[in-house]
Amino acid sequence: MSYVGQYWNQTGFDLWEETDGSSFFTLQNQHRALVEGAQLAKNLHVTCTGCGQAPELLCFLQSFWNGAHIVSNINVNNGRTGLDANSILGPIAVFDIDADCDSLTWQPCHGQSLANFKVLTDTFRTLYAINKDIEEGQGAAIGRYPEDVYMGGNPWLVQGLPTSH
């Protein structure tokens, strides 16, 4: 636990291991680890070195919101919009059934999480031909981020998985 508590405010790689900066997804999960580590330490009657950094990390997480959507990677100059599917995966990964939707932990039902999801989805609606005839309000294919060029930048299709009979 002391590793996360000691180094959370240093830059590192994002979920896709492509961007070195401050990653929304990574920091969200680090915050959750510190909170759960503090609770575990309390239950075991031991000290969690570094877990006291959780409130600072949670405060820093708020800086990823730009007024319209979550900028998934900050403290980086990679030419991207900041729109990224990791901003959807983060809230899912840290989902807490007991947390309020307005929690600063950015739960999936948080107003800004939902607004971010709409902006990201609408971006891919116009970007991918597969979404051409899908009406707004219906599910659409999304990718990692709009500027993605890996494997053609398209939504990924997993092939070769065994089928059940």
Side-chain angles (χ1 to χ4, degrees):
M1 281 302 153
S2 63
Y3 181 80
V4 171
Q6 184 178 359
Y7 298 108
W8 72 265
N9 61 351
Q10 294 183 9
T11 58
F13 284 95
D14 69 341
L15 178 63
W16 317 122
E17 300 177 347
E18 295 177 342
T19 299
D20 187 7
S22 299
S23 166
F24 180 78
F25 176 87
T26 301
L27 287 163
Q28 226 183 355
N29 282 279
Q30 287 175 330
H31 174 262
R32 177 81 182 249
L34 291 174
V35 169
E36 290 184 3
Q39 185 60 53
L40 177 62
K42 181 179 176 182
N43 293 347
L44 297 174
H45 307 288
V46 297
T47 301
C48 178
T49 306
C51 286
Q53 298 288 317
E56 290 179 50
L57 201 153
L58 187 60
C59 182
F60 183 59
L61 267 173
Q62 308 318 302
S63 64
F64 286 81
W65 179 254
N66 73 358
H69 64 84
I70 295 167
V71 178
S72 293
N73 297 293
I74 60 175
N75 298 321
V76 63
N77 185 12
N78 62 5
R80 295 184 190 166
T81 61
L83 288 167
D84 192 305
N86 84 40
S87 64
I88 295 171
L89 298 173
I92 293 169
V94 302
F95 174 68
D96 180 353
I97 191 74
D98 296 321
D100 293 326
C101 287
D102 61 354
S103 169
L104 294 176
T105 59
W106 297 81
Q107 293 298 302
C109 58
H110 189 283
Q112 291 172 327
S113 291
L114 293 170
N116 176 72
F117 181 69
K118 179 168 179 14
V119 170
L120 183 68
T121 303
D122 286 350
T123 298
F124 283 103
R125 277 185 198 286
T126 59
L127 188 62
Y128 293 158
I130 194 172
N131 293 331
K132 179 182 166 201
D133 295 323
I134 298 175
E135 296 179 26
E136 189 168 338
Q138 301 295 312
I142 63 170
R144 297 188 303 169
Y145 49 89
E147 302 84 4
D148 194 2
V149 294
Y150 182 74
M151 298 294 291
N154 296 302
W156 297 0
L157 173 63
V158 179
Q159 296 179 352
L161 293 178
T163 58
S164 59
H165 297 286

